[in-house]
């Protein structure tokens, strides 16, 4: 077999040789695609072959469009469209043109997308007779996973061109496949009945079609030359299609790099490359020429050798042998991080630095990952922060917040609002109101929601009455026919045109991504309408809520080739080239990806080239992953940076990939070495933000010289660069506000306030004076409920002349009142009711202090201590058998205070003191006792009393509290109570209360 | 360094591939020995690397084992080839990802984290009704959680428990029944959501291999050797799964140290290691052999002596004592008993300083605590002495001020009623309001309270209504205004944003990254590190679609902040030079030259029994009869006295505590300091001093006594005073912030100060230097050269009609009206092409080829394609049909597609553009024909260029109407100039609106002010 090793000087000659069959085998960066492009230009410009007589084929749409661009660039003149397309596209054209004659089609079947295919298979499987299937699979006929496996099996069997007979003979050897041939037949019948065509059959039928000599003749007329890129990725069906297309002239040039064969999971046959010369013989029977491009223009020795080490040697069938690296020098680096977010931050920062410091256009940099599900969202955020333009591959359009808000409107319109209690509708509508479309201020939203909760009226009415400008939304919600009838596209158009709120977002420069999302969404709906005009917008929304729904990427300005970062997968980087490539998230388990997937059917064994031995299979996968890494690395002309996390999280997969050690390069930990030293003259900050931080650090660094610190401070003030923020916007710069002036001259205190102050003055000020310590939660509601019930029960008892109420009555009052308290879901309310019941039974089934007669309930008391007025309300005042008066305070907690604390309780002391002066009380006798009652506590602890002997001490303490509050002393008290303190995060005594950013 | 294996290691390494148990004491080089064994087996061709399966407990262990094996294999096999190592859960997940469908698990099933599972469990509690359980208790959720996990550990489900409980009543069965019902709902909810949690992984994987022996065989066929690491920590479910796959004589090597079983309380079963020889017998049925590793390569002689003594307390007789390697130094074991916990913390801090002076690095030292709560004081003592410390717990994370701030923002965005969070921000470093500035807000709230408040007014609402607040100081009002606009913006973005997205937006909007960058070196690094750690937490917190993630995340943080929930996994330290502070449990598997173990007092370490997990008393404890390891559990029975049962449980607990002590002690390589104090309790000391525990007493017999202090009086408080201010700053004695404010008033301030300090010359130098540097930094990065314009003919026509319309359809796109006319246009073109050529291409650019004319109403009964069929075009053969081209004009490219070219005579081209509507009155559409005509002269459509060109619009909307023109040389020259002008204007980004009658059909008219005005004027 003739093989020509082509150095740079041999190109013109090699390109000029346009006839016959050749395979260009080439290492990375040796100009494989360039060779094809120049071949095309040679044909059209020197040999005047009309462009439409040439077919340029490649693997993906993007590669096809890249080919077009490169041809346009190289020829630099007006042309008819460059005929570059994908294999699928060519197959489709062939079928469209000849299918009528060859297969008797009335109409070209329409293509079945992957998800549609799985849905169809799943539908058919569900109606299968289980008895036909092996026992193992019978329970799986309804499973989506199994449907995916079968769909994959169908796809692969078509790509391997396995006809019915061959499949049956294979299935005879494997019991687990025995049901499949019959099923495939039924599937094919159904497909035909529905007028659809799947991607696998598309290729297989195209090959069938070319069996017809007449068709072959016509095709030979149409395409005089074929130029094929990425031949190593072709399937059996595709290479067969090429063989037949070129049978009449054998004018075919294919380019391949077996080391870049990374698509075996999509049916790529590695052997196609090695087999090419013998298979695509010239018309005279001579084997095809092998042109080996030996010199890389892109990849320098450092990168190439690391990449070669990574593939661990072992030449592949049809490989090129050693490649001569480019003459410039490059570098491979490894960086390890503790956390993924740190990794992302570092990469983004590094890209910013390279862009600014080294003036590299962003588009010459790429970040490649093995799995786009994992790392890219994180990285994208870090990039956004630095305004580095980039696109996320395959972000789900339906996840864009702009589209989500459209969904919210549709969901709200459908919510069953008539009952007035739909939490979902509440949530969705409040989200809408607060979100970017309406941007309603919190106070208006809360007010509307308040009215909604109180009145139970439907949302449209609430919106009309309480939310300015929401009439249009109210109208849409009141009459949702736009969402529930007519096409989805028409529904969206109604929505889009109804809400005046879109105006502001259309003109908001910060919402360009929203507009892009809406416009893409409208297009998707428009296409959807063409496929299925009966699907309503509501129907579409419920379809789209399913996971794995169409991942339409955001469309952007089609002519936009601006300076954007490439963020993509290792697989999709194939065929691209950059100055600098980051290979990120290189952790074990992700890279190499050695997972065995969907192996229930072991579909890969359909290929004659696959070894059934699990060890061989694993090695094959590993080698392919190595080739993938090799491919990714060799995209770079200057620098490859591998990054990985190796600690920090307990995700089972976060340890650095074995590839990192296989390259034989020392790694660097973390990213700290990029820190510029404090006042170095050789390291200039590259962004205004860096400069600002740098100066600020200098100002506060006592180790720096005074002149520098003063100069830094002065420079911050002068702001020679307007991108530096004004000084008064920096944290720690505002003078602290004062804490005094929150007490009226006419101070009134309550005993519970005093107790709070005694616990901690700061907590008191925040909680009781400023109402800023948050909700007290269910325990407070519970306490109020119990007090209300007890008051009501006891009042009835007093009126009836009894010494106390009865449990039955109390429980009745409880049931009446509890529904007005918000305890959350029914189960919780019931639990609180039970707790209340326990308390009431504890109270009444064994009365805590029998023998006394209640005289006053919820009685207001007042006292003046050193000029400060104190006020409070006694739960219960009773006359004891001894003739004295006792004041009682109910406590609803289950854990009583120690008796020693009750003995000196401020609350009890106040009651006693005030009662002594209160005529309404003294009328019943001399107040002598004050007690807490704890009905929920253990029997022995149910009451504890004030010690009257200590009353004076307590009163003195109260006087002191009165003075301190009046003097506004708010110094925090540290005590055991701190562990339950709600405002500890604003307490200077605790680590979490320290100021941020100013240490 | 090449290790010379000890004889006992050699025996392990060379043992044939048969079931084998290795009892490996602490520090005996277990991982190395295993790696050597693998290397030996690979070298003797007993297995290829890929055929070795290693299963470890943690990822860290997996990594270590993997690396060690890779080292050993180096040179033997090609790089990149590797053994397969998983965690126990990971191995189960692997089986499910392949075969899970056989147990009803779809392949996209999501594995939920324990915290998210907890959330589901919480919902499951709320959806029940209870006779016996009290769910008002906040910690209640621990009970079903515990039960669910015990069920999982023993391959059981709630249904099994219900079945088992049939007929039982009274305590604890009544509560147990309700707990089982909660767990059952929880299981159902997981199924409904298509998710599995960690305990499901093992249970379902077991189901798969138990129900499908061929699947087990398939998995088995991939391996020749299996290694089970830390086998003493596995639970019965894991063992059963392994047994199902690798039983019957498969060469399984299990390594473990029963003395380090410290996870009994979460399912680890002593049974597994003890009964391994019987569970995994040899092929001949004989029990598996056991080999021991006892030579400790880690620790010094005295540490080993103490470790052996501590083992005595574990009550197990599991093997021989540890033996030090010959020549090991004695090292140091020392004890210290101080008066207060603060003294103890300071003892540790001071000793650390001394050791540092002796040459130890910070990272070589650690303090290990039995309980999380004891960490704080030591941390503060270290902070005060500026000793870098790394606290490995989430609770610690939430106490870092910058994270508190972010947390506070998340809280107020979630719940506008969260006062403390709001205070954290308003009183914090950016706004620095005082109480007096808050009071007017409080007044507003109070004046808006009503009796029937279902949703109480909040301080945030007050701020939102800022303009109606009276009594605010001007400066406070300004600050609140800034806060309000920030809050409003974030609140908008919070609707529908993902959690981590939101966290990022907060950091961005509040300028926090900038603030952090401005912090001094030491703080900056640690804050950044910790903030990333928090973001990772948020990132991993990805609950399922449609679930409110923010409230759930905040709830989770609350739970973690409580500090009651222990973090189970071993710590992964950053490797930074810092002293590690962590619990003993998290220190498992780690080692340091110097280790401190503080807080060794009675009931703390060893800890007392917090609650007796007696299955006959506690409803949430799984009945022993449902456990798979009942043989090794304390012998409890219903007939026993409660006190006897408690004694048995206490004994079990105590042994585990001694094992924990053993783990703690064996972490030390050279020096070990054990300490305690009389007075504990922070901030309020206990009423009574505490006493040294048995562990401490034991240690004193093996240690140097560094001193025992008197108890003395009970201290007032035990709390570290806030870290001191330090010495006054000579440059800014008034404080740098005050100085900076002064500079705002007085521009010469800095200069004067520099003169006072005698550095004025250097000062001026520096100012100049910084000025220069800053001038040179661009405000925004330089934009790169834009690529030449590439657009379509359609685009040019649109631009000619109205630049603003072009902008909204091509540059900053807005939705377009779904147009029937456009679709019909496409359809007509397809049919015309089919008519002429018999095929149509697969068209990727459908969007660009719709008719650009205004949508016209169709007259009923008229079909555009019929009009075509009746036209002269139908019968002529076109020279070109649907001919695409790329036209270069200057450096720009214009894409287009000519509908058809007919040749009435040789060299005479009639370029036809078919329109499905009626004639347009818009002259701008002529741009289309200009482009086509120009293309005809420049694009090599055929070998010969046309000599005469006619351009024709053929309107098919109402019968056929044609508008035709001769395009001579001047015409084409004009066309070229016209097109170039349009392109030039596009490139110059001229997007002004040009209202015309076209506005009537413009999809964007409503957003276009001039257009709307024009339309209004027409009516």
């Amino acid at each position: 077999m003739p093989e020509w090793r082509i150095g740079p000087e041999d190109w013109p000659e090699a390109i000029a040789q346009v006839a016959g069959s050749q395979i260009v085998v080439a290492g990375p960066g040796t100009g494989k695609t360039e060779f094809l492009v120049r071949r095309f230009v040679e044909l059209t410009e020197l040999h005047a072959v009309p462009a439409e007589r040439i077919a340029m084929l490649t693997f993906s749409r993007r590669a096809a469009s890249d080919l077009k661009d490169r041809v346009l660039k190289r020829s630099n003149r007006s042309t008819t469209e460059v005929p570059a397309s994908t294999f699928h596209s060519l197959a489709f054209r062939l079928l469209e043109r000849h299918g009528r004659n060859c297969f008797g089609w009335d109409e070209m079947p329409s293509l079945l997308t992957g998800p549609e295919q799985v849905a169809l298979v799943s539908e058919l499987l569900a109606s299968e007779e289980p008895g036909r299937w092996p026992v193992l699979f019978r329970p799986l006929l309804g499973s989506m996973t199994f449907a995916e496996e079968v769909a994959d099996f169908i796809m692969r069997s078509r790509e391997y061109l396995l006809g019915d007979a061959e499949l049956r003979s294979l299935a005879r050897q494997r019991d687990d496949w025995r049901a499949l041939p019959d099923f495939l037949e039924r599937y094919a019948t159904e497909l035909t009945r529905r007028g659809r065509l799947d991607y696998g059959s598309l290729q297989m039928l195209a090959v069938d079609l070319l069996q017809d000599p007449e068709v072959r003749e016509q095709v030979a007329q149409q395409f005089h030359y074929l130029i094929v890129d990425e031949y190593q990725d072709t399937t059996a069906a595709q290479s067969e299609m090429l063989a037949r297309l070129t049978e009449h002239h054998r004018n075919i040039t294919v380019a391949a790099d077996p080391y870049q064969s990374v698509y075996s999971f999509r049916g790529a046959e590695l052997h196609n490359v090695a087999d090419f010369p013998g298979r695509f013989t010239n018309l005279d029977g001579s084997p095809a020429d092998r042109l080996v491009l030996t010199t890389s223009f892109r990849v320098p020795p450092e990168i190439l050798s690391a990449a070669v080490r990574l593939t661990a040697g072992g030449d592949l069938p049809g490989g090129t042998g050693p490649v001569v690296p480019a003459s410039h020098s490059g570098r491979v680096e490894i960086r390890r991080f503790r956390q993924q977010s740190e990794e992302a931050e570092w990469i983004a920062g590094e890209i910013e630095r390279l862009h600014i410091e080294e003036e590299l256009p962003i588009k010459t940099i790429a970040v490649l990952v093995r799995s786009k599900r994992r790392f890219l969202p994180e990285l994208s955020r870090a990039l956004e922060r630095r305004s580095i333009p980039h696109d996320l591959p395959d972000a789900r359009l339906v996840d864009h917040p702009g589209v989500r808000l459209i969904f919210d409107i549709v969901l709200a319109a459908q919510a069953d609002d008539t009952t007035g209690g739909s939490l979902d509708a509440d949530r969705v509508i409040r989200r809408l109101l607060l979100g970017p479309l309406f941007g309603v201020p919190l106070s208006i939203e809360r007010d509307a929601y308040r009215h909604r909760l109180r009145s139970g009226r439907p949302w449209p009415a609430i919106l009309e009455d309480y939310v300015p400008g929401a009439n249009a939304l109210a109208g849409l919600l009141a009459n949702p026919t736009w969402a529930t009838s007519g096409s989805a596209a028409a529904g969206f158009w109604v929505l889009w045109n109804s809400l005046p709120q879109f105006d502001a977002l259309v003109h908001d420069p910060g919402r360009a991504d929203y507009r892009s999302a809406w416009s893409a969404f409208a297009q998707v709906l428009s296409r959807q309408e063409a496929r299925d005009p009966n699907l309503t917008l509501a129907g579409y929304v419920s379809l789209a809520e399913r996971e794995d729904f169409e991942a339409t990427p955001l469309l952007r300005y089609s002519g936009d080739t601006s300076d954007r970062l490439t963020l993509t997968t290792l697989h999709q980087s194939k065929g691209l080239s950059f100055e600098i490539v980051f290979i990120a998230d290189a952790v074990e388990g992700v890279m190499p990806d050695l997972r065995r997937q969907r192996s229930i059917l072991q579909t890969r064994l359909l290929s004659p080239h696959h070894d059934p031995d699990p060890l061989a299979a694993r090695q094959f996968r590993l080698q392919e992953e190595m080739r993938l890494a090799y491919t990714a690395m060799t995209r770079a002309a200057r620098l490859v940076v591998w990054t990985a996390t190796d600690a920090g999280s307990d995700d089972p997969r976060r340890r650095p990939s074995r590839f990192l050690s296989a390259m034989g390069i020392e790694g660097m930990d973390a990213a700290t070495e990029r820190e510029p030293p404090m006042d170095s003259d050789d390291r200039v900050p590259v962004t205004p933000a860096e400069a600002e931080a740098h100066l600020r650090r200098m100002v506060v660094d006592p180790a720096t010289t005074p002149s520098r610190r003063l100069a830094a401070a002065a420079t911050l003030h002068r702001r020679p660069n307007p991108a530096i923020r004004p000084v008064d916007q920096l944290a720690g710069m505002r003078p602290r506000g004062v804490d005094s002036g929150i007490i009226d001259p006419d101070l009134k205190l309550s005993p519970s306030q005093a107790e709070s102050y005694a616990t901690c003055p700061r907590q008191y000020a925040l909680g009781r004076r400023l109402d800023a310590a948050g909700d007290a939660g269910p325990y407070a509601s519970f306490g109020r409920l119990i007090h209300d019930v007890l008051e009501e029960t006891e009042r009835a008892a007093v009126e009836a002349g009894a010494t106390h109420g009865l449990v039955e009555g109390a429980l009745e009052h409880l049931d009446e009142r509890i529904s007005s308290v918000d305890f959350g879901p029914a189960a919780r309310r019931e639990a609180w009711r039970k707790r209340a019941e326990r308390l009431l039974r504890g109270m009444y089934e064994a009365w805590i202090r029998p023998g006394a007669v209640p005289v006053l309930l919820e009685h207001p008391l007042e006292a003046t201590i050193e000029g400060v007025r104190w006020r409070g309300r006694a739960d219960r005042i009773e006359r004891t058998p001894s003739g004295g008066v006792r004041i009682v305070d109910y406590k609803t907690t289950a854990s009583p205070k120690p008796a020693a604390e009750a003995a000196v309780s401020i609350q009890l002391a106040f009651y006693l003191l005030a009662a002594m002066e209160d005529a309404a009380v003294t009328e019943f006798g001399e107040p002598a006792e004050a007690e807490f009652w704890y009905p929920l506590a253990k029997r022995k602890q149910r009451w504890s009393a004030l010690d009257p002997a200590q009353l004076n001490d307590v009163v003195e303490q109260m006087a002191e509290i009165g003075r301190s509050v009046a003097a506004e002393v708010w110094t925090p008290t540290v005590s055991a109570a701190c562990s339950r303190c709600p405002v500890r995060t604003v307490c200077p005594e605790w680590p979490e209360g320290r100021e941020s950013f100013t240490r | 360094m090449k290790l010379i294996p000890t004889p006992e290691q050699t025996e392990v390494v060379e043992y044939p591939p048969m079931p084998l148990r290795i009892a490996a004491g602490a520090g005996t080089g277990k991982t190395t020995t295993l790696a050597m064994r693998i290397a030996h087996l690979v070298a003797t061709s007993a297995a290829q690397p890929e055929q070795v399966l290693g299963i470890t407990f943690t990822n860290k262990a997996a990594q270590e084992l993997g690396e060690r094996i890779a080292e050993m294999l180096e040179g033997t096999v090609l790089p990149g080839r590797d053994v397969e190592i998983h965690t126990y859960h990971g191995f189960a997940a692997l089986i499910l990802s392949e075969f899970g469908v056989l147990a009803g698990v779809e392949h996209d099933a999501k594995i939920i984290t324990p915290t998210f599972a907890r959330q589901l469990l919480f919902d499951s509690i709320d959806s029940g009704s209870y006779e016996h359980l009290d769910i008002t208790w906040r910690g209640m959720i621990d009970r079903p959680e515990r039960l669910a996990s015990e069920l999982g550990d023993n391959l059981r489900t709630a249904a099994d428990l219900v079945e088992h409980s049939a007929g039982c009543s009274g305590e604890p069965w009544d509560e147990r029944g309700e707990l089982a019902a909660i767990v059952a709902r929880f299981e159902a909810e997981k199924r409904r959501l298509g998710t599995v949690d960690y305990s499901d992984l093992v249970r379902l994987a077991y189901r798969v291999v138990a129900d499908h022996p061929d699947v087990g065989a398939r998995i088995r066929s991939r391996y020749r050797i299996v290694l089970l690491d830390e086998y003493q920590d596995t639970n019965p479910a894991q063992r059963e799964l392994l047994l199902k796959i690798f039983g019957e004589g498969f060469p399984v090597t299990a390594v473990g140290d029963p003395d380090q079983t410290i996870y009994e309380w979460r399912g680890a079963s002593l049974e597994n290691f003890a009964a391994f020889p019987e569970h995994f017998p040899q092929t001949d049925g004989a029990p598996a052999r056991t080999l021991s590793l006892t030579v400790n390569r880690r620790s010094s002689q005295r540490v080993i002596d103490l470790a052996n003594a501590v083992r005595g307390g574990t009550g197990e007789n599991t093997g021989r004592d540890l033996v030090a390697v010959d020549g090991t130094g004695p090292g140091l074991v020392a004890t210290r008993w101080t008066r207060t916990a603060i003294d103890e913390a300071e003892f540790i801090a001071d000793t650390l300083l001394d050791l540092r002076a002796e040459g130890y690095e910070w990272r070589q030292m650690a303090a290990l605590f039995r309980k999380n709560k004891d960490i704080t004081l030591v941390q503060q003592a270290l902070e005060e002495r500026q000793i870098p410390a790394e606290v490995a717990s989430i609770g610690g994370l939430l106490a870092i001020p910058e994270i508190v701030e972010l947390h506070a923002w998340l809280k107020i965005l979630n719940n506008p009623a969260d006062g403390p969070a709001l205070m954290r921000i308003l009183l914090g470093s950016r706004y620095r309001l005082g109480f007096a500035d808050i009071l007017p807000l409080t007044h507003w709230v109070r004046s808006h309270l009503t009796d029937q408040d279902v949703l109480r007014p909040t301080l945030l609402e007050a701020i939102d209504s800022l303009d109606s607040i009276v009594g605010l100081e001007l400066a406070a009002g300004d600050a609140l205004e800034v806060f309000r606009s920030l809050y409003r913006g974030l609140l908008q973005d919070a609707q529908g944003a993902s959690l981590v997205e939101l966290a990022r937006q907060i950091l961005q909007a509040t300028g926090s990254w900038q603030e952090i960058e401005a912090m001094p070196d030491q703080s900056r690094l640690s804050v950044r590190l910790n903030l990333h750690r928090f973001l990772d937490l948020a990132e991993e917190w990805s609950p399922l679609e449609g679930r409110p993630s923010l409230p759930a995340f905040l709830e989770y943080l609350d739970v973690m902040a409580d500090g009651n929930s222990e973090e189970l996994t071993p710590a992964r330290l950053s490797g930074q030079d810092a002293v590690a502070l962590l619990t003993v449990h998290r220190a498992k598997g780690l080692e340091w030259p110097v280790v401190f173990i503080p807080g060794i007092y009675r009931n703390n370490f060893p800890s007392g029994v917090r609650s007796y997990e007696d299955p006959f008393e506690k409803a949430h404890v799984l009945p022993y009869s449902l456990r798979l390891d009942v043989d090794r559990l304390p012998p409890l029975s219903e007939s026993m006295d409660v006190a006897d049962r408690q004694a048995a449980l206490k004994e079990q607990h105590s042994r585990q505590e001694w094992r924990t002590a053993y783990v703690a002690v064996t972490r030390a390589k050279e020096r070990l300091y054990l300490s305690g104090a009389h007075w504990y309790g922070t901030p309020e000391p206990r009423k009574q001093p505490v006493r040294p525990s048995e562990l401490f007493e034991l240690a004193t017999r093996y240690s140097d006594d560094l001193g025992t202090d008197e108890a003395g009086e009970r201290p007032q408080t035990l709390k570290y005073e806030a870290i001191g201010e330090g010495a006054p700053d000579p440059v800014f004695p008034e404080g740098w912030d005050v100085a900076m404010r002064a500079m705002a008033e007085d521009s010469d301030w800095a200069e004067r100060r520099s003169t006072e300090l005698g550095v004025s010359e250097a000062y001026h130098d520096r100012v100049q230097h910084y000025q220069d540097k800053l001038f040179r930094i661009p405000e925004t990065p330089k934009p790169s050269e834009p690529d030449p314009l590439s657009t379509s003919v359609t685009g040019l026509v649109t631009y000619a009609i109205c630049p603003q319309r072009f902008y909204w359809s091509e540059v900053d796109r807005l939705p377009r009206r779904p147009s029937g006319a456009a679709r019909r246009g496409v359809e007509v073109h397809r049919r015309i092409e089919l008519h002429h050529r018999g095929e149509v291409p697969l068209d990727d650019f459908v969007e660009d080829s719709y008719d650009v004319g205004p949508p016209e109403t169709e007259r009923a009964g008229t079909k555009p394609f019929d009009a075509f069929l009746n036209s002269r075009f139908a019968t002529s053969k076109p020279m070109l049909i649907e001919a695409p081209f790329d036209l270069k004009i200057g450096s720009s490219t214009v894409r287009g597609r000519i509908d058809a070219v007919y040749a009435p005579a040789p060299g005479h081209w009639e370029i036809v553009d078919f329109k499905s509507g009626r004639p347009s009155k818009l002259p701008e559409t002529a741009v289309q024909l200009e482009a086509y005509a120009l293309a005809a002269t420049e694009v090599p459509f055929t070998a010969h260029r046309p000599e005469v060109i006619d351009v024709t619009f053929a309107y098919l909307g109402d019968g056929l109407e044609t508008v035709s023109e001769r395009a001579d040389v001047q015409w084409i020259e004009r066309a070229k100039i016209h097109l170039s002008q349009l392109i030039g204007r596009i490139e110059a980004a001229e997007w002004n609106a040009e209202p015309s009658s076209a506005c009537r059909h413009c999809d964007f008219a409503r957003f276009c002010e001039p257009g709307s005005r024009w339309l209004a004027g027409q009516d």
Side-chain angles (χ1 to χ4, degrees), chain A residues 96 148 557 563 599 834, chain B residues 107 130 218 508 784 810 840:
Chain A
E96 192 171 43
E148 283 165 8
Y557 176 32
D563 197 16
S599 54
K834 287 223 175 83
Chain B
H107 91 263
Y130 307 94
R218 216 152 108 187
Q508 175 80 17
S784 3
E810 302 255 319
V840 291

Side-chain angles (χ1 to χ4, degrees), chain B residues 228-298:
Chain B
L228 306 177
D229 194 15
E230 302 274 10
Y231 191 63
Q232 79 280 358
D233 283 338
T234 53
N235 63 36
Q238 288 159 339
R239 176 239 298 163
E240 287 298 311
L241 171 64
L242 294 165
L243 205 45
K244 263 286 174 279
I245 305 175
F246 300 114
E248 295 164 21
F250 196 89
V252 173
T253 303
V255 194
D257 181 1
D259 292 332
Q260 295 191 57
T261 307
I262 56 174
Y263 287 126
E264 234 184 328
W265 49 276
R266 60 153 173 158
S269 169
L270 290 170
E271 155 106 350
N272 286 1
F273 193 83
F276 179 87
E278 292 76 38
H279 288 153
F280 290 85
Q282 300 178 3
T283 35
D284 60 8
R289 278 275 310 277
T290 298
L291 297 174
S292 300
L293 297 176
T294 58
V295 178
N296 179 303
R297 291 179 185 272
R298 178 191 292 154

Side-chain angles (χ1 to χ4, degrees), chain B residues 899-922:
Chain B
D899 284 355
V901 175
Y902 298 88
H908 179 182
W909 290 22
E910 183 183 17
I911 300 174
V912 180
D913 189 67
F914 293 105
K915 299 275 181 210
S916 56
R918 285 178 302 173
S920 159
K921 290 171 197 67
L922 292 170

Side-chain angles (χ1 to χ4, degrees), chain B residues 93 119 271 513 602 629:
Chain B
Q119 187 62 31
E271 155 106 350
W513 293 114
R602 246 178 230 191
D629 57 347

Side-chain angles (χ1 to χ4, degrees), chain B residues 881-892:
Chain B
I881 179 83
E882 289 289 324
F885 62 84
D886 287 284
L887 177 64
K888 290 264 181 187
I889 300 180
S891 59
S892 308

Side-chain angles (χ1 to χ4, degrees), chain A residues 58-71:
Chain A
T58 185
F59 217 67
S60 66
R61 273 189 183 193
R62 198 182 65 178
S65 110
D66 282 354
L67 265 181
K68 279 183 199 176
D69 287 349
R70 292 177 68 164
V71 169

